[in-house]
Amino acid sequence: SSRHFIFFFISPATYSYFFFFFFLMIRRPPRSTLSSSSAASDVYKRQTEEKVVMAVIDGVLAAYPKYAKYSGEWIFNNAGGAMGTMTVLHASFSEYLILFGNPTGTEGHTGRFIADDYFTIIYGEQWAAAANGLTKEIYRVGDQHHLPRYVAKQYRMPDACFALEYAKGNIPSMLFFGFADLFTSTLDIVTLWQTIKGSTVLMLENAMQGKI
């Protein structure tokens, strides 16, 4: 499909003011340190993590009923030393869209991929720094952290934080990073199976309907 998930943010299905504003904001070119508007911030302060997350999921499903799915299943994700929870909304060989976050905070390595990654904050705050970064990058609600292919950073979610993460590129190559901690650290077989089911199975399903 020529329609990429990154553009669903201006879909008519996204009907609330906050998400209309939020969806417009993520089309801006990424910057190292961004500040949210007071309008988005005021709405955000009145929301709980669950309400924000579910509103974003509803917007995705309404905009892309053919390719986006929400199973209701959340999976632990251990990668690059960081731990969070995620739900997979779309996975194909060229794109994925997940909701990732943690109610307690986490820190780790972003990974270095053959894909571009767009990490849009919907709740909380993320900090990041490149190897040569002497000051931290700060991403708040409505900000998008673009990680270009072949680039890696240290990142931290100092407290509760959730993001809509979209990746475009060689998605199968990213699975090695996603599975590494499961084999070398946590040995969590349940999470391994859930991750395989939640990503690779969707890749095959989408491939069968022509979505590569």
Side-chain angles (χ1 to χ4, degrees):
S1 170
S2 61
R3 298 173 64 195
H4 299 308
F5 280 96
I6 195 66
F7 296 115
F8 87 87
F9 300 107
I10 57 172
S11 167
T14 55
Y15 45 81
S16 72
Y17 171 78
F18 168 73
F19 290 105
F20 174 75
F21 182 82
F22 164 69
F23 294 157
L24 289 178
M25 283 191 66
I26 71 164
R27 293 174 61 91
R28 300 174 306 170
R31 291 176 289 171
S32 60
T33 303
L34 303 169
S35 60
S36 305
S37 76
S38 58
S41 179
D42 289 344
V43 175
Y44 153 72
K45 289 175 183 177
R46 296 195 296 269
Q47 304 298 318
T48 64
E49 296 99 315
E50 185 175 0
K51 286 182 179 179
V52 171
V53 166
M54 292 310 302
V56 171
I57 290 174
D58 289 343
V60 173
L61 298 179
Y64 290 90
K66 183 177 180 180
Y67 295 114
K69 295 182 179 180
Y70 176 55
S71 66
E73 181 178 47
W74 288 80
I75 308 166
F76 277 137
N77 178 262
N78 294 85
M83 183 174 185
T85 184
M86 70 175 182
T87 188
V88 182
L89 301 176
H90 172 82
S92 63
F93 289 100
S94 62
E95 297 175 298
Y96 78 63
L97 187 71
I98 67 172
L99 263 161
F100 173 81
N102 192 317
T104 61
T106 192
E107 181 177 14
H109 189 288
T110 61
R112 196 184 300 270
F113 306 115
I114 314 174
D116 283 275
D117 188 89
Y118 301 85
F119 200 77
T120 305
I121 308 300
I122 63 173
Y123 190 94
E125 186 172 290
Q126 184 200 43
W127 302 345
N132 61 349
L134 300 182
T135 58
K136 66 185 176 185
E137 304 165 11
I138 302 176
Y139 300 90
R140 301 184 176 92
V141 174
D143 296 340
Q144 184 180 89
H145 182 185
H146 174 214
L147 188 72
R149 59 189 63 200
Y150 310 121
V151 173
K153 293 181 182 179
Q154 174 191 7
Y155 78 94
R156 182 182 181 189
M157 296 173 169
D159 203 340
C161 180
F162 288 89
L164 185 65
E165 182 176 1
Y166 168 79
K168 178 174 173 58
N170 188 329
I171 302 304
S173 67
M174 302 176 76
L175 294 177
F176 295 103
F177 177 75
F179 290 148
D181 279 14
L182 292 173
F183 289 115
T184 62
S185 178
T186 66
L187 303 179
D188 186 347
I189 297 175
V190 173
T191 295
L192 174 62
W193 165 244
Q194 291 173 330
T195 305
I196 293 172
K197 182 178 68 173
S199 55
T200 57
V201 171
L202 282 178
M203 287 182 183
L204 295 175
E205 288 181 355
N206 280 307
M208 290 176 66
Q209 58 179 338
K211 174 63 177 68
I212 305 297

